[in-house]
Amino acid sequence: MEQKPARVRIIDAAHQLMLTIGLARATTKEIARAAGCSEAALYKHFASKEELFVVVLKERLPRLNPLLERLVASPGAGERTVERNLTEIARQAALFYEQSFPIAASLYAEPRLKERHNEAMRALGTGPHMPVRGLDAYLRSEQEAGRVRSDADTYAAASLLLGACVQRAFAYEATADGRPPQPLDEFAAALARTLMRGMGAYPPQGVSGGS
């Protein structure tokens, strides 16, 4: 069987180790060993473990930021409603946070390491705040297109939607069955529908515009 290219093996190994032992303990030496290459070879492809972490998020986890970037570039493309777009965003966000939490959670046990990681994220121009900014930008583009009410607080709406997705990712493991109360698709649709009613892009069901 033909061996995968070194870059692919490194990303695969980093993803697996970050999931199993956490980002804090997944050293470049351990990642290189698991990938079957030298640490020097790893640094030929990635400048730092933080850069490798960002690549893992982009290439191995549900693609939330690219979805937001596409929607910002083409709001209303294909005549999709805002609610339908928000449903897809909520679905991708819930999956993204569900899979990224086990990777990054170990950083919170080591404050100094977490701060170094945050500094690296700032230098790379990324971080966990980026999806909120992206969703806010998308909602503002829909606001400009007249599909979201002009006085709606788009940043608050973005924070509410993504905050609910974050909550879903970790809040239910301690329950009796260890599962969220709603299936993912039902959760995403209900969240988008409720948010759209709050932003007033269309009259609530059963309410006549002339009443």
Side-chain angles (χ1 to χ4, degrees):
M1 181 181 296
E2 185 177 354
Q3 191 177 45
K4 294 179 181 178
R7 182 183 183 277
V8 175
R9 298 200 317 272
I10 292 167
I11 297 172
D12 286 345
H15 184 205
Q16 184 59 33
L17 284 171
M18 289 174 184
L19 279 173
T20 54
I21 66 175
L23 180 58
R25 294 177 59 196
T27 65
T28 52
K29 183 179 293 185
E30 289 288 341
I31 293 168
R33 182 184 299 118
C37 67
S38 67
E39 197 171 4
L42 182 150
Y43 282 112
K44 287 181 180 179
H45 295 277
F46 305 99
S48 64
K49 186 174 77 170
E50 288 76 19
E51 181 181 310
L52 181 52
F53 169 64
V54 171
V55 173
V56 168
L57 294 184
K58 288 181 177 179
E59 298 189 15
R60 294 295 183 272
L61 271 62
R63 296 174 63 79
L64 175 59
N65 282 325
L67 171 62
L68 293 171
E69 290 166 3
R70 175 170 56 80
L71 291 173
V72 170
S74 303
E79 299 303 315
R80 288 169 58 106
T81 64
V82 181
E83 184 177 322
R84 185 175 174 188
N85 285 336
L86 289 178
T87 299
E88 179 59 19
I89 291 168
R91 187 178 187 281
Q92 290 295 317
L95 289 171
F96 175 81
Y97 291 122
E98 179 182 298
Q99 295 181 34
S100 62
F101 266 9
I103 293 175
S106 61
L107 285 175
Y108 288 85
E110 301 185 38
R112 291 181 181 178
L113 181 60
K114 183 175 182 295
E115 182 52 36
R116 289 201 301 271
H117 179 81
N118 287 344
E119 289 174 0
M121 291 297 99
R122 286 190 283 269
L124 290 166
T126 188
H129 60 289
M130 296 302 288
V132 178
R133 286 187 178 179
L135 180 50
D136 177 40
Y138 164 63
L139 290 174
R140 282 188 281 108
S141 71
E142 293 288 15
Q143 202 170 45
E144 292 168 2
R147 303 209 305 170
V148 166
R149 204 174 66 200
S150 62
D151 64 346
D153 187 327
T154 56
Y155 187 84
S159 300
L160 286 168
L161 185 143
L162 293 177
C165 294
V166 170
Q167 178 78 357
R168 189 181 192 276
F170 77 93
Y172 298 103
E173 291 185 356
T175 60
D177 60 5
R179 294 184 299 179
Q182 293 174 299
L184 176 58
D185 288 345
E186 183 180 328
F187 163 80
L191 182 57
R193 183 171 59 251
T194 301
L195 194 63
M196 285 307 299
R197 285 174 178 169
M199 289 192 292
Y202 52 80
Q205 290 183 356
V207 176
S208 170
S211 61

